[in-house]
Amino acid sequence: MNKFYGNKWFALIISFFLTMLLFFYVKTEAHNNSAANLFTNVSEEVTETISDVPVHVTGDIDQYYVTGIPESVSVELKGPKNVINQTLQGKKFRVVTEDLSKLGTGTHYVQFKVENLSDEVSYRISPSTAEIMISQLESQSFPVEIQLNNREGVANGYEITTESTNPANVTLTGSKDTLQQIKRVYVNVTLPNNQNSNYSTEATVITEDANGKILNLSSSPETVKATITISPQGKQVPVKIETTNEDPNTHYQITLPNQQKQVTVFGEQQVLQQISQVVGTVDVSGISGQTEKEVALTIPTGARGINPEKVRITIVVQKNSESSSANASQSSSSSASESSESSNTEESQSSELSS
Protein backbone atom coordinates (compact mmCIF):
# COMPACT_ATOMS: atom_id res chain seq x y z
CA MET A 1 0.00 0.00 0.00
CA ASN A 2 2.79 2.42 0.89
CA LYS A 3 4.34 1.58 -2.43
CA PHE A 4 1.13 2.58 -4.22
CA TYR A 5 0.95 5.94 -2.45
CA GLY A 6 4.58 6.55 -3.21
CA ASN A 7 4.06 6.07 -6.93
CA LYS A 8 4.83 9.28 -8.81
CA TRP A 9 1.91 8.82 -11.21
CA PHE A 10 -0.48 8.68 -8.34
CA ALA A 11 0.96 11.93 -7.06
CA LEU A 12 0.60 13.59 -10.44
CA ILE A 13 -3.05 12.51 -10.75
CA ILE A 14 -3.87 13.77 -7.28
CA SER A 15 -2.14 17.09 -8.05
CA PHE A 16 -4.05 17.54 -11.30
CA PHE A 17 -7.35 16.74 -9.61
CA LEU A 18 -6.69 19.23 -6.84
CA THR A 19 -5.62 21.89 -9.35
CA MET A 20 -8.83 21.52 -11.39
CA LEU A 21 -10.90 21.57 -8.23
CA LEU A 22 -9.23 24.79 -7.14
CA PHE A 23 -9.71 26.33 -10.61
CA PHE A 24 -13.45 25.65 -10.67
CA TYR A 25 -13.78 26.94 -7.13
CA VAL A 26 -12.11 30.26 -8.05
CA LYS A 27 -14.19 30.65 -11.21
CA THR A 28 -17.34 29.90 -9.31
CA GLU A 29 -16.55 32.50 -6.67
CA ALA A 30 -15.60 35.12 -9.31
CA HIS A 31 -18.87 34.72 -11.16
CA ASN A 32 -20.94 34.08 -8.04
CA ASN A 33 -22.25 31.00 -9.79
CA SER A 34 -22.05 27.26 -9.61
CA ALA A 35 -19.52 25.13 -11.49
CA ALA A 36 -22.33 23.63 -13.53
CA ASN A 37 -23.43 27.05 -14.72
CA LEU A 38 -19.90 27.88 -15.83
CA PHE A 39 -20.19 25.47 -18.72
CA THR A 40 -23.72 26.60 -19.38
CA ASN A 41 -22.63 30.28 -19.76
CA VAL A 42 -20.13 29.40 -22.47
CA SER A 43 -22.69 27.75 -24.71
CA GLU A 44 -25.83 29.57 -23.57
CA GLU A 45 -28.05 30.53 -26.51
CA VAL A 46 -29.05 34.20 -26.56
CA THR A 47 -30.88 36.62 -28.86
CA GLU A 48 -29.60 40.14 -29.62
CA THR A 49 -31.34 42.80 -31.73
CA ILE A 50 -29.24 45.46 -33.43
CA SER A 51 -30.97 48.56 -34.81
CA ASP A 52 -29.90 50.97 -37.56
CA VAL A 53 -27.70 48.51 -39.44
CA PRO A 54 -26.72 50.14 -42.79
CA VAL A 55 -27.79 48.42 -46.02
CA HIS A 56 -25.02 48.01 -48.60
CA VAL A 57 -25.78 47.71 -52.32
CA THR A 58 -24.21 44.78 -54.15
CA GLY A 59 -23.41 45.03 -57.86
CA ASP A 60 -22.03 47.60 -60.30
CA ILE A 61 -24.87 50.09 -60.82
CA ASP A 62 -22.92 53.26 -61.61
CA GLN A 63 -25.00 53.83 -64.74
CA TYR A 64 -28.30 53.47 -62.92
CA TYR A 65 -30.31 55.37 -60.34
CA VAL A 66 -31.85 53.20 -57.60
CA THR A 67 -34.61 54.29 -55.23
CA GLY A 68 -36.50 52.38 -52.55
CA ILE A 69 -33.60 50.81 -50.64
CA PRO A 70 -33.85 51.70 -46.92
CA GLU A 71 -30.81 53.33 -45.38
CA SER A 72 -30.84 50.87 -42.47
CA VAL A 73 -32.64 47.83 -41.05
CA SER A 74 -32.88 45.94 -37.76
CA VAL A 75 -31.12 42.59 -37.38
CA GLU A 76 -31.94 39.93 -34.79
CA LEU A 77 -29.06 37.54 -34.07
CA LYS A 78 -29.56 34.19 -32.28
CA GLY A 79 -26.81 31.79 -31.21
CA PRO A 80 -24.21 30.91 -28.55
CA LYS A 81 -23.59 33.85 -26.25
CA ASN A 82 -19.83 33.86 -26.69
CA VAL A 83 -20.17 33.77 -30.52
CA ILE A 84 -22.76 36.58 -30.46
CA ASN A 85 -20.50 38.71 -28.24
CA GLN A 86 -17.51 38.20 -30.54
CA THR A 87 -19.67 38.99 -33.58
CA LEU A 88 -20.83 42.26 -32.07
CA GLN A 89 -17.33 43.22 -30.96
CA GLY A 90 -15.78 42.42 -34.34
CA LYS A 91 -18.33 44.55 -36.24
CA LYS A 92 -17.54 42.70 -39.47
CA PHE A 93 -21.02 41.46 -40.31
CA ARG A 94 -23.12 43.62 -42.63
CA VAL A 95 -26.47 43.64 -44.41
CA VAL A 96 -26.33 43.58 -48.23
CA THR A 97 -28.77 43.45 -51.14
CA GLU A 98 -28.76 40.81 -53.79
CA ASP A 99 -26.67 41.61 -56.88
CA LEU A 100 -28.54 44.52 -58.50
CA SER A 101 -26.35 44.47 -61.62
CA LYS A 102 -28.27 41.35 -62.72
CA LEU A 103 -31.53 43.31 -62.74
CA GLY A 104 -32.64 45.67 -65.50
CA THR A 105 -34.48 48.98 -65.31
CA GLY A 106 -37.93 48.90 -63.78
CA THR A 107 -39.55 47.82 -60.50
CA HIS A 108 -38.07 44.90 -58.55
CA TYR A 109 -38.43 43.20 -55.17
CA VAL A 110 -35.02 42.54 -53.62
CA GLN A 111 -34.06 40.52 -50.56
CA PHE A 112 -31.49 41.42 -47.92
CA LYS A 113 -29.01 39.04 -46.31
CA VAL A 114 -26.25 39.18 -43.70
CA GLU A 115 -22.61 38.59 -44.64
CA ASN A 116 -19.59 37.67 -42.50
CA LEU A 117 -21.64 35.80 -39.88
CA SER A 118 -20.74 32.55 -38.07
CA ASP A 119 -22.62 29.41 -39.14
CA GLU A 120 -23.60 28.97 -35.48
CA VAL A 121 -25.60 32.21 -35.57
CA SER A 122 -28.99 32.56 -37.23
CA TYR A 123 -30.52 35.94 -38.11
CA ARG A 124 -33.71 37.72 -39.03
CA ILE A 125 -33.77 41.07 -40.88
CA SER A 126 -36.59 43.59 -40.54
CA PRO A 127 -37.57 44.58 -43.15
CA SER A 128 -36.09 41.67 -45.09
CA THR A 129 -37.19 42.85 -48.56
CA ALA A 130 -37.84 46.10 -50.39
CA GLU A 131 -39.55 47.27 -53.56
CA ILE A 132 -37.00 49.24 -55.55
CA MET A 133 -36.99 51.19 -58.81
CA ILE A 134 -33.98 51.06 -61.13
CA SER A 135 -33.81 53.89 -63.68
CA GLN A 136 -31.30 54.99 -66.25
CA LEU A 137 -29.04 57.62 -64.72
CA GLU A 138 -29.20 61.15 -66.25
CA SER A 139 -27.61 64.49 -65.39
CA GLN A 140 -28.61 68.08 -66.16
CA SER A 141 -27.27 71.51 -65.25
CA PHE A 142 -29.56 73.97 -63.46
CA PRO A 143 -29.09 77.57 -62.23
CA VAL A 144 -29.30 78.10 -58.47
CA GLU A 145 -31.59 80.74 -56.98
CA ILE A 146 -31.31 82.35 -53.56
CA GLN A 147 -34.29 82.28 -51.22
CA LEU A 148 -33.62 85.11 -48.78
CA ASN A 149 -35.67 84.48 -45.66
CA ASN A 150 -35.35 87.88 -43.96
CA ARG A 151 -34.89 90.91 -46.16
CA GLU A 152 -35.72 92.97 -43.08
CA GLY A 153 -32.30 91.97 -41.77
CA VAL A 154 -30.75 94.74 -43.92
CA ALA A 155 -29.82 97.80 -41.85
CA ASN A 156 -31.75 101.06 -42.27
CA GLY A 157 -30.35 103.17 -45.08
CA TYR A 158 -29.05 100.12 -46.97
CA GLU A 159 -30.44 97.89 -49.67
CA ILE A 160 -29.69 94.62 -51.45
CA THR A 161 -28.21 95.29 -54.87
CA THR A 162 -27.27 91.80 -56.11
CA GLU A 163 -27.71 88.14 -55.15
CA SER A 164 -25.42 85.47 -56.60
CA THR A 165 -24.09 81.96 -56.03
CA ASN A 166 -20.72 80.42 -56.81
CA PRO A 167 -20.98 78.30 -58.84
CA ALA A 168 -24.03 79.77 -60.51
CA ASN A 169 -25.12 76.32 -61.78
CA VAL A 170 -25.09 72.81 -60.32
CA THR A 171 -25.36 69.39 -61.95
CA LEU A 172 -28.34 67.35 -60.75
CA THR A 173 -28.32 63.59 -61.24
CA GLY A 174 -31.23 61.18 -61.01
CA SER A 175 -33.88 59.44 -63.04
CA LYS A 176 -35.27 61.11 -66.15
CA ASP A 177 -38.76 61.25 -64.62
CA THR A 178 -37.48 62.97 -61.47
CA LEU A 179 -35.43 65.51 -63.42
CA GLN A 180 -38.53 66.46 -65.39
CA GLN A 181 -40.33 67.30 -62.13
CA ILE A 182 -37.85 70.01 -61.10
CA LYS A 183 -39.53 73.35 -60.49
CA ARG A 184 -36.98 75.11 -58.26
CA VAL A 185 -33.30 74.74 -57.48
CA TYR A 186 -32.33 77.06 -54.65
CA VAL A 187 -30.48 77.67 -51.39
CA ASN A 188 -31.86 79.12 -48.16
CA VAL A 189 -30.07 82.21 -46.81
CA THR A 190 -30.82 84.09 -43.58
CA LEU A 191 -29.12 87.44 -42.98
CA PRO A 192 -27.79 88.48 -39.57
CA ASN A 193 -29.81 91.33 -38.06
CA ASN A 194 -28.90 94.89 -39.00
CA GLN A 195 -26.56 93.77 -41.82
CA ASN A 196 -24.89 96.74 -43.55
CA SER A 197 -22.16 94.98 -45.58
CA ASN A 198 -21.88 92.14 -48.07
CA TYR A 199 -22.80 88.73 -46.66
CA SER A 200 -21.59 85.29 -47.84
CA THR A 201 -22.36 81.78 -46.60
CA GLU A 202 -22.15 78.14 -47.69
CA ALA A 203 -25.64 76.74 -48.30
CA THR A 204 -27.05 73.34 -49.26
CA VAL A 205 -28.69 73.02 -52.68
CA ILE A 206 -32.43 72.15 -52.49
CA THR A 207 -34.54 70.82 -55.38
CA GLU A 208 -38.34 70.95 -55.36
CA ASP A 209 -41.23 70.07 -57.64
CA ALA A 210 -44.24 72.28 -58.39
CA ASN A 211 -45.88 71.28 -55.08
CA GLY A 212 -42.84 72.18 -52.99
CA LYS A 213 -41.89 68.53 -52.44
CA ILE A 214 -38.14 67.87 -52.15
CA LEU A 215 -36.93 65.61 -54.96
CA ASN A 216 -34.64 62.60 -54.61
CA LEU A 217 -31.71 63.93 -56.66
CA SER A 218 -27.99 64.25 -56.04
CA SER A 219 -26.33 67.63 -56.60
CA SER A 220 -22.77 68.31 -57.64
CA PRO A 221 -21.61 70.27 -55.76
CA GLU A 222 -23.93 69.70 -52.81
CA THR A 223 -23.30 73.21 -51.44
CA VAL A 224 -22.63 76.58 -53.07
CA LYS A 225 -21.36 79.91 -51.81
CA ALA A 226 -24.24 82.39 -51.67
CA THR A 227 -23.36 86.11 -51.66
CA ILE A 228 -25.72 88.99 -50.90
CA THR A 229 -24.33 92.39 -51.96
CA ILE A 230 -25.55 95.15 -49.65
CA SER A 231 -25.02 98.83 -50.47
CA PRO A 232 -26.24 102.14 -49.10
CA GLN A 233 -29.65 103.10 -50.47
CA GLY A 234 -29.40 104.92 -53.80
CA LYS A 235 -31.16 107.65 -55.75
CA GLN A 236 -30.98 108.31 -59.49
CA VAL A 237 -30.00 111.89 -60.34
CA PRO A 238 -28.91 113.60 -63.59
CA VAL A 239 -25.28 114.45 -64.38
CA LYS A 240 -24.21 118.01 -65.02
CA ILE A 241 -20.86 118.71 -66.70
CA GLU A 242 -19.20 122.07 -66.04
CA THR A 243 -16.20 123.43 -67.96
CA THR A 244 -13.11 125.38 -66.87
CA ASN A 245 -10.46 127.36 -68.76
CA GLU A 246 -12.79 128.13 -71.64
CA ASP A 247 -11.77 130.21 -74.65
CA PRO A 248 -14.26 133.14 -74.77
CA ASN A 249 -14.33 132.94 -78.57
CA THR A 250 -15.18 129.24 -78.56
CA HIS A 251 -18.42 127.32 -78.15
CA TYR A 252 -18.22 123.94 -76.37
CA GLN A 253 -20.92 121.36 -76.99
CA ILE A 254 -20.82 118.47 -74.45
CA THR A 255 -22.79 115.23 -74.78
CA LEU A 256 -23.01 112.09 -72.60
CA PRO A 257 -24.07 108.57 -73.60
CA ASN A 258 -27.69 107.85 -72.69
CA GLN A 259 -26.67 105.24 -70.08
CA GLN A 260 -24.51 107.79 -68.26
CA LYS A 261 -26.86 110.77 -68.21
CA GLN A 262 -27.90 109.63 -64.74
CA VAL A 263 -25.94 108.13 -61.85
CA THR A 264 -26.88 106.54 -58.52
CA VAL A 265 -26.10 108.41 -55.32
CA PHE A 266 -25.87 106.42 -52.06
CA GLY A 267 -26.53 107.74 -48.58
CA GLU A 268 -29.06 108.29 -45.83
CA GLN A 269 -32.59 109.04 -46.97
CA GLN A 270 -32.64 112.58 -45.57
CA VAL A 271 -29.38 113.35 -47.40
CA LEU A 272 -30.58 111.93 -50.70
CA GLN A 273 -33.69 114.10 -50.57
CA GLN A 274 -31.48 117.21 -50.79
CA ILE A 275 -29.48 116.00 -53.84
CA SER A 276 -30.84 116.88 -57.28
CA GLN A 277 -27.76 116.37 -59.49
CA VAL A 278 -24.14 115.25 -59.59
CA VAL A 279 -21.52 117.55 -61.06
CA GLY A 280 -18.39 116.76 -63.02
CA THR A 281 -15.82 119.34 -64.11
CA VAL A 282 -13.74 119.16 -67.29
CA ASP A 283 -10.77 121.34 -68.30
CA VAL A 284 -11.33 122.36 -71.95
CA SER A 285 -8.11 124.32 -72.45
CA GLY A 286 -6.27 123.32 -75.60
CA ILE A 287 -9.12 121.24 -76.96
CA SER A 288 -9.92 121.62 -80.64
CA GLY A 289 -12.26 119.75 -82.93
CA GLN A 290 -14.02 116.72 -81.37
CA THR A 291 -12.58 115.06 -78.28
CA GLU A 292 -13.62 112.33 -75.84
CA LYS A 293 -12.70 112.59 -72.16
CA GLU A 294 -13.33 110.66 -68.96
CA VAL A 295 -14.58 112.97 -66.23
CA ALA A 296 -14.59 112.20 -62.50
CA LEU A 297 -17.82 113.11 -60.72
CA THR A 298 -17.92 114.89 -57.37
CA ILE A 299 -19.64 113.01 -54.54
CA PRO A 300 -22.31 115.32 -53.09
CA THR A 301 -21.85 116.45 -49.51
CA GLY A 302 -23.19 113.91 -47.03
CA ALA A 303 -23.48 111.09 -49.59
CA ARG A 304 -21.61 107.80 -49.11
CA GLY A 305 -20.76 107.34 -52.76
CA ILE A 306 -21.92 107.34 -56.37
CA ASN A 307 -22.07 104.80 -59.16
CA PRO A 308 -20.48 105.21 -61.61
CA GLU A 309 -17.81 107.51 -60.26
CA LYS A 310 -16.71 108.59 -63.75
CA VAL A 311 -18.47 109.30 -67.05
CA ARG A 312 -17.11 109.52 -70.57
CA ILE A 313 -18.15 112.66 -72.49
CA THR A 314 -17.78 113.94 -76.04
CA ILE A 315 -16.69 117.58 -76.54
CA VAL A 316 -17.27 119.33 -79.86
CA VAL A 317 -15.39 122.65 -80.17
CA GLN A 318 -16.50 125.43 -82.54
CA LYS A 319 -15.09 128.96 -82.82
CA ASN A 320 -17.70 131.69 -82.30
CA SER A 321 -16.73 133.46 -85.61
CA GLU A 322 -17.25 130.24 -87.50
CA SER A 323 -20.56 129.81 -85.80
CA SER A 324 -21.62 133.38 -86.68
CA SER A 325 -20.51 132.96 -90.31
CA ALA A 326 -22.37 129.74 -90.57
CA ASN A 327 -25.49 131.33 -89.13
CA ALA A 328 -25.15 134.33 -91.44
CA SER A 329 -24.70 132.07 -94.46
CA GLN A 330 -27.80 130.14 -93.52
CA SER A 331 -29.71 133.43 -93.06
CA SER A 332 -28.54 134.78 -96.46
CA SER A 333 -29.44 131.59 -98.20
CA SER A 334 -32.85 131.67 -96.59
CA SER A 335 -33.44 135.30 -97.69
CA ALA A 336 -32.38 134.55 -101.24
CA SER A 337 -34.71 131.62 -101.33
CA GLU A 338 -37.59 133.73 -100.03
CA SER A 339 -36.84 136.50 -102.62
CA SER A 340 -36.81 134.00 -105.44
CA GLU A 341 -40.09 132.54 -104.29
CA SER A 342 -41.64 136.06 -104.12
CA SER A 343 -40.46 136.92 -107.66
CA ASN A 344 -41.87 133.72 -109.04
CA THR A 345 -45.20 134.44 -107.37
CA GLU A 346 -45.40 137.98 -108.88
CA GLU A 347 -44.58 136.69 -112.36
CA SER A 348 -47.27 134.06 -112.04
CA GLN A 349 -49.87 136.64 -110.97
CA SER A 350 -48.89 138.97 -113.89
CA SER A 351 -49.27 136.16 -116.36
CA GLU A 352 -52.74 135.36 -115.06
CA LEU A 353 -53.84 139.01 -115.45
CA SER A 354 -52.58 139.19 -119.05
CA SER A 355 -54.54 136.16 -119.98
Side-chain angles (χ1 to χ4, degrees):
M1 179 65 71
N2 291 335
K3 184 177 180 181
F4 178 76
Y5 284 109
N7 190 299
K8 66 177 182 178
W9 289 106
F10 176 77
L12 288 174
I13 291 172
I14 293 299
S15 297
F16 177 75
F17 177 76
L18 293 174
T19 301
M20 292 301 295
L21 187 61
L22 180 61
F23 170 76
F24 286 122
Y25 174 77
V26 172
K27 294 292 289 183
T28 301
E29 288 297 320
H31 291 277
N32 194 23
N33 211 335
S34 67
N37 285 338
L38 183 63
F39 289 101
T40 304
N41 287 339
V42 173
S43 59
E44 179 186 359
E45 190 172 84
V46 296
T47 301
E48 291 282 351
T49 301
I50 305 96
S51 303
D52 300 325
V53 180
V55 177
H56 299 271
V57 174
T58 303
D60 183 6
I61 55 170
D62 289 344
Q63 301 303 316
Y64 297 94
Y65 192 71
V66 181
T67 57
I69 298 177
E71 292 185 3
S72 63
V73 293
S74 295
V75 179
E76 181 183 277
L77 301 178
K78 187 175 183 180
K81 183 175 182 179
N82 63 331
V83 179
I84 295 291
N85 289 339
Q86 293 177 60
T87 300
L88 297 179
Q89 289 296 323
K91 298 181 180 179
K92 291 184 179 181
F93 80 96
R94 65 176 192 163
V95 175
V96 298
T97 67
E98 58 186 274
D99 189 349
L100 300 188
S101 62
K102 296 179 180 179
L103 307 176
T105 57
T107 302
H108 306 274
Y109 285 91
V110 295
Q111 198 162 16
F112 307 136
K113 63 179 181 179
V114 176
E115 286 185 337
N116 304 326
L117 197 63
S118 170
D119 293 338
E120 297 183 58
V121 177
S122 62
Y123 65 84
R124 185 171 62 183
I125 304 173
S126 179
S128 59
T129 61
E131 180 183 2
I132 68 170
M133 171 67 75
I134 300 179
S135 307
Q136 194 70 36
L137 197 65
E138 292 193 11
S139 297
Q140 291 183 30
S141 178
F142 289 85
V144 182
E145 303 173 2
I146 291 180
Q147 178 172 293
L148 190 56
N149 298 319
N150 62 331
R151 292 185 177 273
E152 66 276 9
V154 180
N156 291 333
Y158 291 80
E159 62 184 358
I160 296 172
T161 53
T162 62
E163 302 175 12
S164 62
T165 64
N166 184 23
N169 296 274
V170 293
T171 300
L172 299 179
T173 302
S175 67
K176 181 178 180 180
D177 291 341
T178 306
L179 289 172
Q180 290 175 344
Q181 297 177 40
I182 295 175
K183 181 66 176 180
R184 290 185 66 201
V185 181
Y186 67 97
V187 292
N188 269 320
V189 176
T190 301
L191 290 174
N193 291 329
N194 203 34
Q195 186 71 21
N196 61 4
S197 60
N198 297 344
Y199 178 75
S200 295
T201 185
E202 286 288 328
T204 301
V205 177
I206 302 171
T207 57
E208 288 182 351
D209 64 10
N211 297 319
K213 178 183 176 182
I214 294 178
L215 298 172
N216 187 9
L217 295 167
S218 61
S219 174
S220 179
E222 294 182 351
T223 63
V224 297
K225 182 179 181 180
T227 299
I228 310 296
T229 303
I230 298 176
S231 305
Q233 286 181 337
K235 175 184 178 181
Q236 292 280 319
V237 295
V239 175
K240 178 183 178 182
I241 302 297
E242 297 180 346
T243 58
T244 60
N245 298 320
E246 297 179 350
D247 182 344
N249 298 317
T250 303
H251 172 71
Y252 300 91
Q253 181 181 347
I254 298 175
T255 57
L256 294 92
N258 287 333
Q259 65 271 23
Q260 292 190 341
K261 288 182 178 180
Q262 286 192 326
V263 295
T264 303
V265 185
F266 302 106
E268 299 294 339
Q269 196 62 40
Q270 59 269 29
V271 174
L272 296 179
Q273 291 175 355
Q274 307 300 319
I275 299 173
S276 58
Q277 63 181 14
V278 171
V279 177
T281 304
V282 59
D283 185 349
V284 294
S285 60
I287 295 178
S288 60
Q290 180 173 314
T291 304
E292 286 191 358
K293 273 198 168 188
E294 191 173 63
V295 180
L297 302 177
T298 302
I299 299 176
T301 303
R304 290 196 181 96
I306 55 176
N307 183 39
E309 296 180 347
K310 296 179 181 181
V311 294
R312 193 160 192 84
I313 65 172
T314 301
I315 306 172
V316 177
V317 178
Q318 191 175 34
K319 295 293 184 181
N320 288 339
S321 57
E322 295 176 0
S323 178
S324 298
S325 299
N327 292 336
S329 175
Q330 291 177 0
S331 176
S332 175
S333 174
S334 176
S335 297
S337 175
E338 292 174 359
S339 176
S340 175
E341 290 177 359
S342 176
S343 176
N344 290 337
T345 301
E346 290 176 358
E347 289 178 0
S348 175
Q349 291 175 348
S350 176
S351 175
E352 290 176 358
L353 290 173
S354 298
S355 62

